[in-house]
Amino acid sequence: MLEVAYHETSPTDGDTVLLLHGDGLADGNFPATDGSSSAHHFTGPRLHRQVPDAGHNLPQDRPEAFAAAVRDVRALRQEHAGRDGFAT
């Protein structure tokens, strides 16, 4: 499982946190989820990915899928710039 959070300052300051959460479908230690169990902890936009042929180390197992997810989170952040507590 991978969680990458992006925030403008500190999430404890009440700022909105943007989250990328991913599960490898080939992870023998932790079964893949839909991300809903942790969703209530975050108020901002979030993406959840289930990645085929990956274990719990997504950047190493599927670097191209990880990079694509990071790009998608960046695009989501830009889409929400000026709203939801994000700086422009």
Side-chain angles (χ1 to χ4, degrees):
M1 174 173 50
L2 170 76
E3 293 185 12
V4 176
Y6 176 88
H7 53 85
E8 289 298 318
T9 56
S10 167
T12 58
D13 293 339
D15 292 332
T16 301
V17 174
L18 183 70
L19 176 72
L20 164 62
H21 183 256
D23 291 311
L25 292 174
D27 189 334
N29 296 315
F30 305 100
T33 70
D34 64 2
S36 62
S37 64
S38 63
H40 68 279
H41 293 291
F42 300 93
T43 60
R46 62 189 260 325
L47 296 176
H48 179 82
R49 298 284 169 85
Q50 292 185 343
V51 182
D53 302 319
H56 57 270
N57 188 350
L58 299 182
Q60 180 178 335
D61 295 343
R62 293 289 309 277
E64 69 287 345
F66 175 75
V70 170
R71 285 191 299 270
D72 291 347
V73 166
R74 183 174 185 261
L76 187 61
R77 182 199 178 275
Q78 290 172 337
E79 178 183 318
H80 287 266
R83 307 181 304 188
D84 301 330
F86 285 106
T88 54

